[in-house]
Structures are given as structure tokens and as C-alpha cells.
Amino acid sequence: MRVDPDGGLTVVPHPSDPAPSPLLGNVVEGLRHRTRVARPAVRRGWLDHGPGPTDRRGRDGFVEVGWDEVLDLLAAELNRVRTEHGNEAIFGGSYGWASAGRFHHAQSQLHRFLNQFGGFTGSRNSYSNGTSVVLLPHVVGDAETVLRGASSWPTIAANTELIVAFGGIPAKNVHVVPGGVTRHGTPGHLTALAERNVEVALVSPLRTDLPATVPATWYPVEPGTDVALMLGLAHTLLVGGLHDRAFLDRYCVGFDTVARYLVDGRYDADWAARVCGIPADDIRALARRMAARRTLVTVTWSLQRIRHGEQPVWAGLLLAAMLGQIGLPGGGFGHGYGSMGDVGDNGPTVRLPYLPQGTNPVRTFIPVARIADLLLHPGATYDYNGRSLTYPDIRLVYWAGGNPFHHHQDLARLRTAFGRPDTVVVHEPHWTATARHADIVLPTTLPLEREDVGGGRRDTHLIAMHRAVEPYGEARDDHHILAGLADRLGFADRFTEGRTARQWLEHLYDRWRADDAPTFADFWAAGGHELPTGPSDFTLFDRFRADPDRSPLKTPSGRIELASETVAGFGYDDCPGHPAWLEPEPADRRYPMHLIANQPSTRLHSQLDVGPVSRASKVDGREPLSLHPDDAAARGIAAGDVVRVFNDRGACLAGAVLTDGIRPGVVQLATGAWFDPVDTPDGVLCVHGNPNVLTADIPTSRLSQGCAGQHARVQVERYTATPPPVTVFDPPAGLAR
Ligand SMILES: Nc1nc2c(c(=O)[nH]1)N[C@H]1C(S)=C(S)[C@@H](COP(=O)(O)OP(=O)(O)OC[C@H]3O[C@@H](n4cnc5c(=O)[nH]c(N)nc54)[C@H](O)[C@@H]3O)O[C@H]1N2
Ligand SMILES: Nc1nc2c(c(=O)[nH]1)N[C@H]1C(S)=C(S)[C@@H](COP(=O)(O)OP(=O)(O)OC[C@H]3O[C@@H](n4cnc5c(=O)[nH]c(N)nc54)[C@H](O)[C@@H]3O)O[C@H]1N2
Ligand SMILES: [Mo]
């Protein structure tokens, strides 16, 4: 970031970054946009009537109040809830991506605060890969083996002959890593694939899920049917004797169970073709190519973010095991190439400084995507990974650094759920939909308004994040806000340990610093520190391959479990004991189109949707919906038209973009347009284009209870009435002082 002579700001990429992220273009305008929260604000109904369930959240006006007053009110309310209902009644999971920076990480700050306050009901896993991290321990012992144990991009470029990429390798996603990326390496690695003529089988309804420069065959699969394709490939390998029996015997258990399933169920290429829409001859030919080459089977995280999302991951591992190349350079199985910038990256692996959070005295948690069920069904029991859990009775919801009205499914249902607690508290820099559904909104700074130490997973540098501008309005750092509350609640000394924010940075840095790293003062003055390089490839599967008896996996058998007695023992019909074809959401004649709600290419989730890069992608101010020209013609839709996308759960408006790079019958609407709801007789209408009004709030399965938000069944029509204006890029109406 550079401050220009006229006081303007310019984003200057790191000098060593070969491919700066286009998302940086949203930062400067987002910083001073009129949707910034300037002062603490309290919902009028909460001020007038006090805490309690209400359907007014998201509909009432707000009253601005001073910091002292709002912190007094909030401290008293925290005390009331703790005294009357216990700490378990506070939900502080607070899932979300907040912003870069190791100290001012909002969720870490909130968890430290709530732990010291006596604890809170938390959440586990992520929306990103919350299904895989529950499944994979049963199959390969731990999730890290797969998520961080695969070949690096240079190893792939040097060894791999064929990548079978389920979900593709979408270049739009690789600029992003939690905590940040100094050097964006993956775009260059993708170019290297093209130069080395690595062949890619792109399995996706969208042609854009692989850069056009990489040589590819496109298999435009029907959404949600990858498992059928995988089983058809596996069946072809099996009956053709193309599978590696020696590998399966030595390194896996359960193959016979799966083989019987494939044969008895006649899951052959002809069956697969009927389900997934790829011709049977193409499936058989692809299976033969896979067996003849050094082949990497990859599955993006999106494929586990659907109903029965465990299955594509398990079936992908099955395919790779049958090829016998797991643990060979550039072969085997990968998960998340193209989902996140650090997957396949070969940067350092050093630990980064972090804020100690202490421990949570409350053991109660939810799998993260069960937030609406938690609020709606206190006392209800449900299954999770072999356990039976009970939802506690939540009275206070505290969110800092996330946007559930971005990330959760079925937003009309979430609205109802947010009506249930007594009090909802949100720390936010912007008037997001979540802030608008809160009782108490506390304005927080953005990273450019404070000092921090930055670094992401496998990052090459630790960055001294200097302050570039003064905080907006009366915004305060999350840490400062929580310190003020801790002071009122009597534990400020424990929370701050007597340090200023700057002293915390120095303290965390010194605790982290190895002997050869510069002193904090030198690090701060230099603006950063290049981290020592780590191993370029992980060796978890290599070691297992070298000697499975001496380096067994952490599964019950020590082997790859292609069938798991543990999972079978849970008795879940929606996640049996081996990879299986389970019907997706049943087709509904009223909603014939498949919606793909994937990550946006022009922003990070909902963040900085007000910025120019994000806005430039909109069609007349509404989120673009991609559809095939044939589907458009059948509906009288022309490019640029406002369309209504709807199902039984709700509706949204979007702007039509026509492309033949999408499978007919499929439409694509990225996540992240700020939710802009209008109440209509038919239910909620988001006039801006947020797909989560359409997605179902269902778990992937009883095993992992993961997020299944990637898909929905919808209908699309031309919107002929005068479309209501998008108002969410203005501060909320009825904001009074
Ligand atoms: N339909 C559908 N839904 C999905 C997905 C999908 O594929 N389809 N994907 C899911 C996935 S993988 C994810 S990870 C989630 C992402 O969901 P989130 O992580 O909740 O989304 P963000 O928009 O990144 O929300 C971060 C919020 O933190 C705020 N913020 C930024 N900096 C600070 C700070 O310093 N302090 C505080 N207090 N706040 C700050 C931002 O303004 C923003 O509102 O979405 C999920 N939702
Ligand atoms: N620019 C940008 N990059 C991001 C993010 C962002 O918000 N913006 N978010 C980051 C985060 S938190 C995460 S978790 C990752 C998520 O990484 P992913 O979950 O992998 O990303 P998505 O873009 O949701 O999905 C990838 C592709 O899967 C394809 N797909 C969807 N359904 C199917 C299907 O049934 N079959 C097949 N074969 N393909 C399908 C879609 O066409 C989609 O483009 O992205 C990260 N990167
Ligand atoms: Mo994510």
C-alpha cells in the first residue's frame, strides 16, 4: 500500500509476487465506502424493549450510541446471560474469514475473550472442507495426509502425464490462502502444466474451471454425478483387469467389498453414462488412458460441499488406489488443487506467530454448518460421526469476523433462526447483511487501519503490516473492543496481559522468532522477513508406500480403508461403509435447472463486494448468472436481461450472461452478492443475486454434517416487472443518532 502525495492510496503488490491477485483492486474503495459502520449502533427494538426473541432483526432501524454506553449495555447483557443461562447459552463459534493478520484475527480474539469469560458453545470444521476432514480420518487416518500430503506443482509438471480433475483446477480460486499469500505461485504452475503438455481431463459442468491455455478434454458432467462417473471408471478398470492388485493387497483394505458392490450393482460405463451424461465409450477410453499413464486424480473441495459430499472424495481415492500410484511422484490422489493457493504449493512450512486463545471450559459444539438448526431446535438430538449430540439453548449469538448471511444456506430459514436468541452481537467493518440482522453492531477497523504481523499457510514471507490510514469513523480494533468489555467484566489484565497492540505484536513475534530471524525492530523497519524454505514435497504417502508396516496410516487397519468397518458400524443410510452411488436431490419438474453456487472470481466471498473489481462483473448492478444460449432461448432470455431464479425456498434477481462454456440445463451464480432481501407474498426475494436464498439447509450426511451449499434445483425466468433497486450498497435505512 502506498500513500500518494495527494493523500490517495495505491495498492502496490509485493515486489517478489509474480502474479498479484486481481482481488486487490477492491481494497481501496472498500476502505472508505459509505457502507462502513462509523459508530456503534443498536437495533431500535432492542433498545426499547430489551433482549428477547423477535422477527424484527433485519427489519428494524438502528440507533447510534457512544462506545461507553454500548460497552456498558453489552457487558451487562453478557453477565445476565451467563448468570441466568450459563456460558453454554453463548454461541461464539463465529465462523468466517475475517482478514489477514496474525494478532487482529477476529475469531481468535473473540475466542480468547469468551474463554476467559467462562466459555461458549463453539463450532467445529469449516464450510470449506468440513465433510472431508470428518471422512478422511476413517479412510487414510488423518485429513492432513491428503490435504497437505500430495505432490507439489513442480513434481506434477515433471512427472504427471494425465490429471483427471473432478471440479477442474479453477484458476479463479488460487489467489486465496487463509492468512494471505506473498508470492502467488499457482498461476505460474498452471502455465508450466501447459508448457509440459500435461494432459488434463476436465470433469466439470463449466469449461472455465480450467485455464484455456492448458491442453484439455472437457467432460461436461451433470452436476452431482461425479461418483457415477468414478464408479463407471472403476468398473471398467476392474473388468478389464487394469487395476493394480498388488497395490490393493499391500496398501488397502476393503477392496473386495467395493469390487463386489461394483459388479453386483452393475455400475459399469453404460450405467454411468446414463447418469452423468458422458458417453460410455469416452468413459471406457478415459479409464484405459488412466491405467496406462502416470495419473493424478484430483477432486476439488466443491465436490464435497454437496449432499452426500463424502462419496466423491472416497470414490476418488478408490480410483487412485486401483491405479496403484498413491505415493508415487505426480501420481495418486489430490484434493483441493485449484481450490486454494497453498494446495500443491511448495513454499515453506514453518509455523507462524499466533495469539494464544486459552481453553474453552464449555465442551458443547456444533458442526459448523448446523447453525440454523442450533438456533431453531434447542434440545434436539442429532448424529455426528458416530456420536449423538444435543443442541443447547442459545440465548446470545456473538459474531466477529464472519458473515453467516453470506455463508449459510436457505437464508429465509436463517432469518427465522436469527429471530430466536435474546441478543445478537456483531463486530463488522461494513454494514453486511449479518450486521443488519444484529441487535448490537460494533464498528471494527480493517487491516490497513491497524498494525499487524501477516503470513499465510506455506507463505514465503512474514509481513510487517504497517498502518496506512486512520480508522474509519469511530471504528476500533476487535482487540480494543474486547479489552473494553473485559475491563467492565473484571478480567482486562488477563485479556490484555498489560500490553498495547504494538507490544502484543512484538511479544508474539519474539515468542515465534528463531535465532536467525531479525529482531522485531529490524523486522518492522524492513517491512517483512523472508521465511526459510521447507521441504518442497511432503512425504506422508511416500513413507507409507516405502514400508506400510513401519509407517502405517492412522486407520484401524493401518491401511487405506476402501471399506471402513467403523463407518459401516454407524449404520448411516446417507453414508454407508464404502464409496457408493447415492441419489442426489430428486429432480423436480418445476425446478429443472441445476444451480452451481461456487466461489466468486471477483472478490473473497462477500468481502468488499462494494469494490470496483466486484462491481465491474455485475450486470446493471446485479450478480451475473451464467446460462447456456439454448436454455436462454427456450425462456426468451437475452444477454443482459434481469432474470428471476427461484424455487420453494426463495428467489433472487440476477443479470443474464450467455455462454456455451456451460452444460445445458446448468446455471451458475457465484456466492457473495450482499443479501438484499425484500419481503414478498411468495417469500423472500433477494434483489441483488445471493444464491443462498435458493440452497437447501441440509447436511452432507449424518457422518460429517457438512455444508451442502454448492448446488440447488431452480427455475429461471425473464423478470418482466420493474426490478426493485439494489439498496444494500447504502447504509441501512433508519440509522439514527
Ligand atoms: N452456496 C454456497 N455457500 C457457501 C459456499 C459455497 O460454495 N456455496 N462456500 C462456503 C465457504 S467454502 C466459505 S469459507 C464461506 C465463507 O464465509 P465467510 O468467511 O463468513 O465470508 P466472508 O465474506 O469472508 O466474511 C468475513 C466477514 O468478516 C468481515 N471482516 C473483515 N475483516 C474484519 C475484522 O478485522 N474484524 C471483524 N470483526 N470483521 C472483519 C468482513 O467484512 C466479512 O463480512 O462461505 C460458504 N458459503
Ligand atoms: N476468487 C476467490 N477464490 C477463492 C475464494 C473466493 O471467495 N474467491 N474462496 C476460497 C475458499 S474459502 C475456498 S474453501 C475455496 C473453495 O474451493 P472450491 O470449493 O473448489 O471452489 P468452487 O469455486 O466453489 O468450486 C470449484 C468448481 O467446482 C465445480 N463444480 C461444482 N459442482 C460440481 C459437480 O457436481 N461436479 C463437478 N465435476 N464440478 C462441479 C464448479 O464449476 C466450480 O467452479 O476457494 C478459495 N478461493
Ligand atoms: Mo472456504
Side-chain angles (χ1 to χ4, degrees):
M1 185 62 56
R2 189 183 67 217
V3 183
D4 301 325
D6 63 353
L9 293 172
T10 307
V11 177
V12 192
H14 195 274
S16 75
D17 189 354
S21 168
L23 308 186
L24 289 174
N26 287 324
V27 170
V28 171
E29 266 192 49
L31 202 56
R32 288 291 176 264
H33 193 264
R34 62 184 178 279
T35 50
R36 282 297 298 272
V37 185
R39 276 168 290 278
V42 181
R43 185 173 63 80
R44 186 174 291 284
W46 195 93
L47 265 189
D48 292 348
H49 310 296
T54 173
D55 64 2
R56 299 300 305 158
R57 292 194 181 102
R59 297 180 173 103
D60 259 359
F62 285 89
V63 182
E64 293 185 337
V65 295
W67 272 110
D68 281 337
E69 188 186 344
V70 82
L71 293 178
D72 288 346
L73 283 171
L74 179 50
E77 175 61 358
L78 282 164
N79 258 332
R80 181 193 71 85
V81 170
R82 181 172 62 173
T83 308
E84 289 178 14
H85 305 284
N87 282 85
E88 193 188 51
I90 300 172
F91 180 68
S94 190
Y95 181 78
W97 269 58
S99 268
R102 305 294 305 169
F103 174 64
H104 290 292
H105 182 244
Q107 213 184 82
S108 307
Q109 290 284 351
L110 180 63
H111 290 171
R112 176 182 171 87
F113 168 82
L114 289 175
N115 284 340
Q116 295 184 352
F117 184 60
F120 62 100
T121 293
S123 60
R124 282 211 188 147
N125 311 329
S126 66
Y127 280 72
S128 309
N129 54 25
T131 300
S132 292
V133 297
V134 177
L135 171 74
L136 287 172
H138 296 294
V139 180
V140 293
D142 66 75
E144 290 297 290
T145 307
V146 162
L147 291 170
R148 317 258 162 264
S151 298
S152 69
W153 285 114
T155 302
I156 293 170
N159 297 282
T160 310
E161 295 163 299
L162 171 64
I163 305 179
V164 183
F166 293 91
I169 309 171
K172 69 180 174 64
N173 287 349
V174 301
H175 289 284
V176 170
V177 179
V181 203
T182 308
R183 252 181 226 158
H184 293 87
T186 313
H189 295 316
L190 291 175
T191 311
L193 286 188
E195 283 161 3
R196 301 297 280 258
N197 257 315
V198 179
E199 182 194 348
V200 180
L202 164 63
V203 183
S204 171
L206 302 191
R207 178 60 187 88
T208 46
D209 279 337
L210 189 75
T213 48
V214 180
T217 314
W218 181 26
Y219 297 87
V221 71
E222 172 96 359
T225 66
D226 296 80
V227 172
L229 176 54
M230 289 166 175
L231 295 184
L233 291 166
H235 190 281
T236 306
L237 294 174
L238 177 68
V239 298
L242 298 170
H243 57 306
D244 187 336
R245 192 73 239 193
F247 182 90
L248 292 163
D249 285 345
R250 185 160 153 81
Y251 298 101
C252 305
V253 296
F255 180 67
D256 290 339
T257 306
V258 184
R260 216 172 313 118
Y261 172 79
L262 287 170
V263 173
D264 292 352
R266 299 199 193 155
Y267 295 113
D268 58 14
D270 294 303
W271 167 81
R274 286 193 299 277
V275 177
C276 74
I278 306 298
D281 286 344
D282 292 355
I283 298 174
R284 279 188 277 262
L286 178 59
R288 284 193 291 272
R289 282 213 308 288
M290 290 168 77
R293 298 185 189 179
R294 178 59 56 86
T295 300
L296 180 67
V297 176
T298 71
V299 173
T300 48
W301 295 349
S302 53
L303 264 67
Q304 49 90 70
R305 212 176 300 117
I306 60 176
R307 181 188 288 230
H308 308 139
E310 291 82 2
Q311 304 311 317
V313 179
W314 209 346
L317 263 160
L318 164 70
L319 260 184
M322 289 178 77
L323 298 175
Q325 299 180 18
I326 293 175
L328 293 182
F333 181 75
H335 189 29
Y337 290 98
S339 296
M340 200 71 84
D342 63 328
V343 178
D345 200 0
N346 55 347
T349 52
V350 287
R351 255 171 66 114
L352 299 165
Y354 68 97
L355 175 72
Q357 296 175 21
T359 48
N360 185 353
V362 175
R363 314 300 321 164
T364 319
F365 70 91
I366 55 162
V368 67
R370 297 281 57 79
I371 172 68
D373 288 342
L374 163 73
L375 299 178
L376 289 169
H377 302 302
T381 60
Y382 62 104
D383 291 312
Y384 171 67
N385 201 16
R387 300 168 62 178
S388 176
L389 302 178
T390 304
Y391 293 119
D393 188 1
I394 297 299
R395 296 308 179 106
L396 185 145
V397 171
Y398 204 134
W399 227 290
N403 188 357
F405 280 87
H406 158 74
H407 65 235
H408 198 56
Q409 285 55 67
D410 196 345
L411 293 180
R413 184 170 189 262
L414 186 68
R415 268 191 139 184
T416 309
F418 260 63
R420 242 214 88 257
D422 294 346
T423 297
V424 176
V425 188
V426 171
H427 291 194
E428 251 299 336
H430 288 275
W431 277 108
T432 60
T434 301
R436 291 168 205 241
H437 284 80
D439 300 313
I440 298 178
V441 181
L442 302 178
T444 60
T445 51
L446 284 168
L448 291 173
E449 298 167 340
R450 60 195 181 216
E451 297 179 336
D452 212 333
V453 172
R457 290 192 305 231
R458 308 215 87 183
D459 207 348
T460 53
H461 291 68
L462 197 66
I463 301 290
M465 300 169 68
H466 297 159
R467 174 184 293 131
V469 293
E470 288 302 308
Y472 182 82
E474 294 174 20
R476 290 184 180 175
D477 302 344
D478 293 285
H479 177 77
H480 183 182
I481 298 170
L482 295 167
L485 281 174
D487 183 36
R488 284 161 175 81
L489 296 165
F491 58 93
D493 292 350
R494 257 191 307 147
F495 184 71
T496 66
E497 298 181 16
R499 294 188 189 93
T500 63
R502 170 65 82 88
Q503 286 166 338
W504 266 106
L505 300 188
E506 190 161 353
H507 171 71
L508 297 182
Y509 180 91
D510 283 339
R511 268 182 14 141
W512 164 85
R513 183 165 87 98
D515 292 340
D516 50 351
T519 64
F520 179 79
D522 289 347
F523 158 76
W524 195 256
H529 168 57
E530 185 157 358
L531 297 167
T533 46
S536 69
D537 274 88
F538 291 93
T539 50
L540 297 161
F541 273 134
D542 315 22
R543 262 185 279 130
F544 170 63
R545 190 177 179 104
D547 191 340
D549 295 319
R550 285 188 53 195
S551 306
L553 300 179
K554 286 176 255 158
T555 52
S557 62
R559 302 292 189 262
I560 300 171
E561 303 222 341
L562 299 178
S564 159
E565 283 176 19
T566 311
V567 175
F570 296 155
Y572 299 148
D573 52 356
D574 54 6
C575 188
H578 59 78
W581 168 249
L582 303 172
E583 292 291 334
E585 188 177 348
D588 181 331
R589 295 228 315 278
R590 295 171 304 156
Y591 307 121
M593 307 293 286
H594 274 287
L595 170 73
I596 291 191
N598 59 351
Q599 306 293 42
S601 57
T602 54
R603 58 185 172 259
L604 175 63
H605 314 136
S606 70
Q607 290 188 49
L608 307 179
D609 189 25
V610 297
V613 176
S614 185
R615 281 199 332 263
S617 73
K618 310 244 173 189
V619 179
D620 244 355
R622 289 171 225 269
E623 194 62 19
L625 173 100
S626 296
L627 78 170
H628 193 275
D630 294 349
D631 291 320
R635 290 165 174 75
I637 295 169
D641 280 353
V642 176
V643 294
R644 179 171 165 268
V645 194
F646 61 99
N647 60 23
D648 284 345
R649 288 178 285 272
C652 67
L653 301 183
V657 173
L658 308 195
T659 169
D660 56 13
I662 192 166
R663 181 185 171 86
V666 178
V667 293
Q668 178 269 338
L669 178 64
T671 60
W674 285 10
F675 179 49
D676 198 350
V678 172
D679 290 319
T680 77
D682 300 331
V684 65
L685 172 73
C686 172
V687 301
H688 189 193
N690 187 313
N692 274 328
V693 295
L694 304 161
T695 52
D697 187 5
I698 49 160
T700 48
S701 81
R702 289 192 280 161
L703 183 85
S704 52
Q705 295 283 353
C707 164
Q710 179 86 191
H711 291 168
R713 299 268 189 178
V714 300
Q715 181 56 294
V716 181
E717 66 182 15
R718 199 156 77 84
Y719 191 72
T720 47
T722 306
V726 174
T727 59
V728 72
F729 286 173
D730 295 314
L735 184 64
R737 289 206 82 161

